[in-house]
Amino acid sequence: MQSALALFFSYPPLVNSAFRIAYNLHFILWRIPVPDFQPLNFQPFVPPGETRPELTLRALLLGCFFGLIFGAVTVYVGLRAGLTVAASIPIAVLSISILRAFGRASILENNIVQTTGNAGQSIASGVIFTLPALVFLGFDLEYSRIFMLALIGGWLGVLFMIPLRRQLIVEEHGNLPYPEGTACADVLIAGERGGSLASRVFLGLGLGGLYTLFQNENLFKAWPGTPEFQPDFGPQHILKGASIKADATPEYLGVGYIIGPRVAGIIFSGGALSWLVLMPLIYFFGKEIPHPIYPGTVPIAQMGPSQLWSTYIRPMGAGAVAAAGLITLLKTMPTIVSALTAGFRKMQPGVGGAKKPIRTEDDLSMRVVVLGSLLVVALMFVFLEFKPVPGAFVGWGANLAASLLVVVFGFLFVTVSSRIVGLVGSSASPVSGMTIATLMATAAIFLVQGWTAPAFGALAITIGGVVCIAASNSGDTSQDLKTGYLIGSTPWKQQVALMIGVVVSTLVIGFTLNLMNTGLEVFRAAPQPWNLSAPHPGVAIQNDVKHLPEQFQVEAADKTTSLHHKSEYIVLNALGSPELADGKYLYSPATGRIEVQWIQGIGSEKAAAPQARLMATVINGILTRKLAWGLVMIGVFLVIAVELLGIRSLPFAVGAYLSIGTTLAIFCGGVVRWFVDQAAKKANEDTADADTEISSGSLFASGLIAAGGVMGLIGVALKAYENLTDKGDILNFPHTFLDNNYVSVLAFAALAFSLYYFARKPLKK
C-alpha cells in the first residue's frame, strides 16, 4: 500500500489529474448555480377569467373507472415486461370520445378525467417495483398491507407537489418541459378543436383484444403463445443452453413501439447477451461437472434454458440492475442538488396575503399539506404498530421513527423526481435507484441493530415501498399539473381529483397482484429426500400460508396431472439456500420427502418482476451477508463496461435480467417504429408526428397495450378459477391444426403489420 502511494505521488501528472477530477466533482456536486427563474408571460388555452365545467361528477366517475382499468393493466404489464408506459394520453383520447357522446364536454373536464385516471398507473408503477419483493422474502401479499402502503405513498406524492407546483410548473415553465404533460395538453387541445383521435385507440383495442383472445394460453390458446427455438447443433451441442423465443403479445409490441427502436434495441441486446452468449457459455464449461455449482441445486448438464436463466442469469441481472440504478442516480446528482436547493429556497406556495389568487393559480392551502402530512405519519404509525410484519416487532419508538423517516425521505425524493421528470420524462426518472438507496440505508440500520431475520427484510420493503410509490406518483402528478397549467385548469380541483384517483385506483392494485400471483402459479412434482428435523440454512417452515389453495393440480414430468390437498403438506420457503433454489416447496410428512415445488406467479418467467426481485436480493444480501456475490459482481462490471461504451446501462441491465421472450417481443415493436419512421422520411413527409406521443402509431400502440392487459387479466382470472374449482380447461378450443410455432409467428407478424399500416395513416384533422 505504501509503495503504491509513493508511486502515485512520484508522478506529478497523475497527481495533477486526480486533484483536477476531485475539484471538478466538488464543483459539480456542491457549486451548482441555481437560477432564479421568473414566471413567463404565459397565457393558457382557457384564460384565467373564463369559467368552464371542470370538477364534475361525470368527469370524476369516468376518471375513477379509467384509474381502475389502467391501474390493473399497469400491474399486469409491469410485472411481465419490467417497465411501464404513461397512461395519460390514451385516457385523454378515450375521455374526449366518451364524454362527447354524452353531450358537449369542456377541455377542463377531459383534463380531470385523465388526471384522476392517471393516478392508477403511477401508483401501480411504484407498487410493482417494490412490494412483490414480499413474495420473494417468503411472505404473503396481504391485500390490506398493499392497500395501506399504496394509499400512504400516493397521498405523499400528491401532498408534497402542492407547495412545489408554483416553483416547478409556473416559474420554470420555459426550463422544465415535462414532455408527457405537454404532449397530453396537445391531445386535449386537438380534441377541443375537433378531429378524430380515438379511432386509432379503439382500433388497437379491437384488434389487440381479438388477437389476445385466441393467442393467450389461459383463453382459447389457438396457437402457442411463446414460439421457441432451442439451438443444438452437431455432436458437440453447439449453442446448447441458448433459447430464442418471444412472448408474442400485443402489449409487448405496443410497448416496444412507444419506447422506440433505440431503447427497445438496448433492452434486447441485454437479453441477447444473457440468452445467446452467457447461458451457452455456462452450459459449455459446466456440462462436464458432475455436481451442482452454487447457487444451482442440480448439475448444469441437467438444466434447460429456463433453469440456467433462473439460477445463474438472475443474480447477474440483479447486480446489473442495481449498479445501473445507482449509476443513473449518481449521474443525476447535479440535478438532485439543484432540485433540493431550489425547492428549499422557494417553498412559498403562491400568492399570499388577503388577495385571492387568480383561478389558474389557486392551489390547495399549506394547511392541507401540513395536516395531510401529519395524517400520513399517523396512518403509517398506526399501521406499523397494529399491523406489524409477523416476526418484526420493534416497539412504538422505532415505528414512530420509521413513520417520520418515510415522510422525510418521501419529501426528498418527491422533490428530486418531480424536477427530473420535468427534464427527461417519467420513463427516465431514476426511481429504482432512489429506492435502492433508501433500502440499503434502511437495511444497514437494521444490520447494526441486529435485526437480520427475514421479517425485518419485509419491514425494510414496507418503508422503501412507500417512498418509491410517493416518488413515482409525484412524477406523474407533476406531468398532470403541467398539462393543467398549459390548458388553464384550476390547480386545487386537479389536486382534489388526484387525491380521489389515488384512493379509488388503490382498491384494485392489491387485488390484481394477488390475482397474478395465484393465476400464474404452477405446482410441479419435484420429489427429493429431506430431513425436516436437521438444520437447513436458508430454508424456513411457513406455518401460516393463506394463499395455498385447499386443493390443487400437480404437474408431473410427463405432463400428467393429479389432484392434491393442502392438508397433506408442510410449506417450506427457501431463500439463499445452498440446497434448494429460491422459492416454496411442499414437504410431505407421510413420505418424509419434498414432493412438490410451488412456483408462484410473481417471480415466474411469466411475471418476472425484475425490480422487486432486485429489492429482495439487495435486502437479503445485506441482512444475511450471504449472496452469490461472484455472479452479482459480474453483472456490476458488465454494466460498467456498457457505460464506458456510452450506452444507457439501465435499459440494458433490465434486458439482461428479463427473459428473452419479453425483450424480443418488445424489440419487434421497436423495429416496427423504425420502419414507420423510415417510410415517412422516404416519402419526404413531415416526420415530427412520428416522433411524438400523439402520432397514429402511438395511439394504436396504446390500444394494443390496453387490450393485451385487459384480456390477459381476464385469462389470469379464468385460470385462477379453474385452479380453485378443479374444472379443467373451460374454453377447450379445438386447435390441433394451429398448434405449431409457424402459426404463432405468422399471427404476430400480421399484428405487427397492422400496427405499421395504421401508424402510416395520418390522423383526421
Side-chain angles (χ1 to χ4, degrees):
M1 181 68 182
Q2 291 178 346
S3 60
L5 289 173
L7 179 63
F8 174 81
F9 284 106
S10 66
Y11 188 54
L14 189 61
V15 176
N16 183 55
S17 299
F19 279 108
R20 184 177 296 275
I21 292 172
Y23 175 78
N24 288 337
L25 284 174
H26 172 266
F27 180 81
I28 290 172
L29 296 178
W30 300 108
R31 300 194 178 189
I32 301 170
V34 181
D36 189 12
F37 296 116
Q38 297 298 324
L40 301 177
N41 186 21
F42 171 77
Q43 290 298 321
F45 183 79
V46 179
E50 183 178 340
T51 302
R52 299 188 187 184
E54 188 169 1
L55 193 65
T56 61
L57 179 61
R58 67 176 186 174
L60 282 175
L61 291 177
L62 187 58
C64 290
F65 171 75
F66 283 133
L68 293 172
I69 296 296
F70 281 90
V73 168
T74 300
V75 171
Y76 178 81
V77 176
L79 287 177
R80 288 167 57 85
L83 69 163
T84 61
V85 293
S88 57
I89 290 174
I91 292 175
V93 170
L94 293 171
S95 172
I96 292 169
S97 178
I98 294 173
L99 288 185
R100 186 178 293 164
F102 290 93
R104 180 68 178 171
S106 77
I107 187 174
L108 302 184
E109 277 187 293
N110 287 318
N111 183 52
I112 289 295
V113 174
Q114 73 84 18
T115 297
T116 309
N118 196 37
Q121 178 267 329
S122 59
I123 293 175
S125 298
V127 168
I128 63 176
F129 287 168
T130 52
L131 298 188
L134 294 171
V135 174
F136 307 137
L137 294 172
F139 292 86
D140 290 329
L141 286 172
E142 297 177 276
Y143 178 86
S144 60
R145 186 174 303 277
I146 297 170
F147 175 82
M148 283 302 301
L149 297 180
L151 182 67
I152 292 170
W155 276 355
L156 276 180
V158 177
L159 285 171
F160 289 154
M161 266 306 299
I162 293 173
L164 293 173
R165 188 199 69 87
R166 181 171 178 80
Q167 193 258 320
L168 294 178
I169 307 298
V170 179
E171 297 188 15
E172 300 199 33
H173 171 61
N175 302 282
L176 298 177
Y178 288 97
E180 291 94 343
T182 301
C184 188
D186 292 339
V187 169
L188 291 170
I189 292 172
E192 183 76 2
R193 289 173 173 166
S196 175
L197 294 172
S199 62
R200 290 295 185 272
V201 180
F202 284 119
L203 276 171
L205 278 167
L207 287 177
L210 183 65
Y211 174 90
T212 307
L213 180 65
F214 288 94
Q215 177 266 345
N216 191 280
E217 63 182 9
N218 295 325
L219 297 172
F220 283 153
K221 53 184 175 184
W223 54 78
T226 307
E228 181 177 11
F229 170 67
Q230 295 184 10
D232 184 7
F233 304 113
Q236 294 183 340
H237 301 291
I238 299 172
L239 282 183
K240 185 172 176 58
S243 176
I244 303 173
K245 60 181 177 178
D247 290 332
T249 64
E251 63 267 23
Y252 289 164
L253 187 68
V255 167
Y257 186 93
I258 288 177
I259 66 178
R262 176 167 176 78
V263 176
I266 293 174
I267 290 174
F268 177 62
S269 67
L273 177 69
S274 294
W275 285 74
L276 303 179
V277 178
L278 296 179
M279 285 164 48
L281 279 175
I282 293 171
Y283 184 86
F284 179 80
F285 288 110
K287 65 181 184 295
E288 302 298 337
I289 301 175
H291 54 80
I293 301 175
Y294 182 79
T297 57
V298 298
I300 288 177
Q302 300 177 19
M303 289 185 174
S306 294
Q307 288 176 294
L308 289 170
W309 169 73
S310 61
T311 304
Y312 298 108
I313 298 301
R314 271 183 168 178
M316 293 185 199
V321 174
L326 292 175
I327 288 173
T328 304
L329 185 63
L330 290 174
K331 288 168 70 175
T332 54
M333 278 300 293
T335 307
I336 291 173
V337 174
S338 176
L340 290 176
T341 306
F344 283 120
R345 285 177 55 190
K346 298 185 176 182
M347 281 298 296
Q348 289 80 12
V351 181
K355 183 180 178 181
K356 181 177 176 59
I358 60 175
R359 181 185 63 81
T360 54
E361 290 299 321
D362 191 6
D363 291 279
L364 290 174
S365 68
M366 279 299 295
R367 182 180 304 171
V368 174
V369 177
V370 173
L371 293 178
S373 300
L374 292 175
L375 175 63
V376 165
V377 172
L379 284 175
M380 190 71 185
F381 172 76
V382 170
F383 180 75
L384 292 176
E385 185 71 15
F386 296 100
K387 184 69 174 176
V389 176
F393 304 100
V394 296
W396 70 268
N399 286 333
L400 180 60
S403 304
L404 294 173
L405 280 177
V406 162
V407 174
V408 172
F409 275 118
F411 176 76
L412 170 69
F413 290 135
V414 161
T415 305
V416 171
S417 177
S418 301
R419 180 173 288 268
I420 290 176
V421 300
L423 293 170
V424 297
S426 298
S427 60
S429 179
V431 173
S432 60
M434 293 185 282
T435 307
I436 291 170
T438 303
L439 289 175
M440 291 178 69
T442 305
I445 294 173
F446 287 2
L447 183 63
V448 171
Q449 293 290 330
W451 300 341
T452 57
F456 292 102
L459 180 59
I461 283 291
T462 298
I463 296 171
V466 173
V467 173
C468 181
I469 295 165
S472 176
N473 191 37
S474 68
D476 283 321
T477 295
S478 58
Q479 299 283 3
D480 293 334
L481 293 174
K482 181 69 170 186
T483 301
Y485 178 68
L486 293 173
I487 68 170
S489 70
T490 309
W492 75 263
K493 293 182 180 179
Q494 264 196 291
Q495 290 154 2
V496 169
L498 284 163
M499 300 290 281
I500 294 173
V502 166
V503 177
V504 174
S505 59
T506 302
L507 294 171
V508 77
I509 291 174
F511 171 78
T512 309
L513 274 175
N514 279 299
L515 181 63
M516 292 281 289
N517 199 37
T518 56
L520 296 176
E521 68 186 2
V522 177
F523 295 90
R524 287 183 182 157
Q528 56 183 299
W530 191 259
N531 185 357
L532 192 64
S533 60
H536 299 281
V539 181
I541 296 175
Q542 284 194 260
N543 296 316
D544 184 19
V545 184
K546 299 178 181 177
H547 294 293
L548 179 63
E550 291 296 331
Q551 57 183 17
F552 47 88
Q553 295 282 348
V554 176
E555 181 181 300
D558 60 358
K559 302 300 181 181
T560 60
T561 60
S562 56
L563 186 64
H564 293 247
H565 296 270
K566 177 179 180 179
S567 58
E568 302 174 28
Y569 299 103
I570 295 173
V571 179
L572 306 178
N573 184 73
L575 185 65
S577 167
E579 302 172 87
L580 297 174
D582 289 356
K584 294 184 184 294
Y585 298 83
L586 304 184
Y587 170 85
S588 172
T591 63
R593 301 189 308 174
I594 290 176
E595 297 290 352
V596 179
Q597 183 180 8
W598 178 14
I599 303 173
Q600 295 185 284
I602 294 178
S604 68
E605 197 168 335
K606 293 294 183 181
Q611 291 88 350
R613 172 74 72 173
L614 165 65
M615 306 305 173
T617 301
V618 168
I619 290 174
N620 188 60
I622 293 175
L623 295 183
T624 65
R625 287 172 283 186
K626 292 179 181 179
L627 197 61
W629 285 109
L631 295 175
V632 171
M633 294 308 297
I634 289 174
V636 170
F637 286 108
L638 180 63
V639 159
I640 292 174
V642 168
E643 281 286 339
L644 292 174
L645 290 172
I647 300 172
R648 289 174 58 186
S649 61
L650 189 55
F652 177 87
V654 171
Y657 179 91
L658 290 172
S659 166
I660 196 173
T662 301
T663 59
L664 179 55
I666 291 174
F667 179 64
C668 290
V671 170
V672 174
R673 174 68 174 269
W674 184 85
F675 277 117
V676 170
D677 292 346
Q678 294 302 308
K681 290 179 182 178
K682 288 182 180 180
N684 296 319
E685 297 174 357
D686 182 8
T687 59
D689 186 54
D691 294 330
T692 67
E693 295 187 66
I694 55 173
S695 65
S696 298
S698 295
L699 293 176
F700 188 86
S702 296
L704 291 179
I705 294 171
V710 171
M711 294 300 293
L713 282 172
I714 292 173
V716 170
L718 181 63
K719 181 67 174 179
Y721 176 75
E722 291 172 353
N723 289 340
L724 292 174
T725 59
D726 191 31
K727 290 191 175 182
D729 189 356
I730 295 176
L731 296 181
N732 194 22
F733 182 73
H735 62 282
T736 53
F737 62 100
L738 297 175
D739 194 10
N740 66 74
N741 288 333
Y742 295 107
V743 173
S744 179
V745 173
L746 288 174
F748 191 62
L751 185 67
F753 178 78
S754 73
L755 173 58
Y756 172 81
Y757 176 79
F758 287 110
R760 295 280 292 118
K761 292 179 71 67
L763 292 167
K764 295 179 181 180
K765 302 297 184 183

